[in-house]
Amino acid sequence: MSPLWIGTSWKMTKTLAEGRAWAEGLRDHLASTHDGQAPARVQPFVIPPFTATTTVRGILGEDSPVLLGVQNAHWEDEGAWTGEVSVPQAKDAGAQVVEIGHSERREHFGETVETTQLKVAAALRHGLTPLLCIGESAEVKDAGGSSEFILAQAAGALDGLSPEELSRVVIAYEPIWAIGEKGRPAVVEELVEPFAALGAQYSGEVTGLLYGGSVNLDNAADLLGIEHVTGLFVGRTAWRLEGYLELLRIAAAHAAA
C-alpha cells in the first residue's frame, strides 16, 4: 500500500539555529525509536526556507527517510532571473521535492496555471517530486464550485504528462479558506466531495493526494480517515518539533489500523 505523506512547510520562518534544532530533534527521534527509519508506511517530508536547505540536508543526512523540499523553483534551468532559484540549484542543495502553486504564490507573486505547468515539468525533468498545491477561495466554495475549480487547477498544471510522469506527482489540496493564521479548520463533511472528485481523477495515477489547511493534533486522525486522502501537509502545528512528531505517531497508528 502507498505510504501516508506527513510533511510541513516552514514558510518564511526559522533562523538557521532554529531549523538546525528542529532537524536534529527529528533525526535523533527517528534514530532512537525507528533505527533511523520512518514509521512503517509513513513518508515524512520537510520544506524549510532556501536559507536552511543545505543545513537541514546535512543534519538529516543523505540517506535520511525524510524527504527534503523547497518552497518554490523557477522553470528555467539557468539565466537572468534575479532572485530566483532553479530546480537544478535546488537539487544541488539537497532538495528532493519542489512545492509548486501554493495559494500565497498565486495571490502575491503571480503564479498561474501556466507557470505551475512549467514548474511541474522542470521538477520532473530533473528527477524531483512536484508537490502541486491546489485550492479554492471561500467565494468559489460558497458558490458550489470547489470540485470543478480544483480539478481545473490540477489539470492545467499536469496537462501533457505521461502516465509515468504523473505517477511521480503529489497533489496537496489546500482550500484557501482553511489555510493560514486566519484560516477556518475544515470539517470532514466539507472535504468529502473535493476528495471524491480528486480521487476519481487521480487516485492510483499520482503518488499522493494530501490535505492541508489548519491541520492540528485534534483533527489529524479524522482527516486521514477521509477516502482518497493519503497524507497531510501541515503548517503551524508541525513547526514545533513536538507537534510534528505527534503527527507522525498519528499517521503511523492510522497506517497500522
Side-chain angles (χ1 to χ4, degrees), residues 61-127:
E62 294 295 330
D63 297 326
S64 174
V66 182
L67 296 179
L68 180 68
V70 291
Q71 298 174 24
N72 183 41
H74 200 274
W75 58 85
E76 293 286 353
D77 289 355
E78 62 180 16
W81 299 94
T82 301
E84 291 292 319
V85 174
S86 70
V87 173
Q89 288 173 320
K91 184 176 182 178
D92 186 53
Q96 299 149 298
V97 176
V98 181
E99 184 179 355
I100 296 169
H102 190 280
S103 62
E104 292 160 357
R105 298 291 312 174
R106 296 177 192 262
E107 178 182 0
H108 300 297
F109 300 100
E111 195 98 333
T112 65
V113 169
E114 290 73 24
T115 56
T116 61
Q117 183 182 30
L118 292 170
K119 292 180 179 186
V120 166
L124 292 169
R125 186 167 66 246
H126 293 284

Side-chain angles (χ1 to χ4, degrees), residues 123-210:
L124 292 169
R125 186 167 66 246
H126 293 284
L128 275 66
T129 297
L131 174 60
L132 175 66
C133 299
I134 57 175
E136 84 285 16
S137 66
E139 291 75 16
V140 171
K141 175 184 181 297
D142 292 343
S146 295
S147 295
E148 293 80 3
F149 185 90
I150 62 175
L151 286 177
Q153 278 189 325
L158 304 177
D159 183 50
L161 297 185
S162 68
E164 187 278 331
E165 290 171 325
L166 189 61
S167 72
R168 294 157 52 197
V169 173
V170 176
I171 297 175
Y173 170 50
E174 297 191 300
I176 298 171
W177 48 269
I179 65 174
E181 188 175 5
K182 298 180 180 178
R184 173 181 67 77
V187 297
V188 167
E189 291 74 18
E190 293 176 294
L191 303 177
V192 170
E193 182 179 338
F195 272 101
L198 288 170
Q201 186 69 35
Y202 294 110
S203 183
E205 304 296 323
V206 299
T207 198
L209 291 173
L210 315 188

Side-chain angles (χ1 to χ4, degrees), residues 12-42:
M12 198 172 71
T13 72
K14 296 195 186 299
T15 62
L16 283 178
E18 292 167 339
R20 185 178 296 111
W22 193 100
E24 288 173 344
L26 177 58
R27 178 201 62 194
D28 294 347
H29 170 80
L30 295 178
S32 64
T33 60
H34 299 283
D35 294 325
Q37 301 304 306
R41 285 198 57 231
V42 176

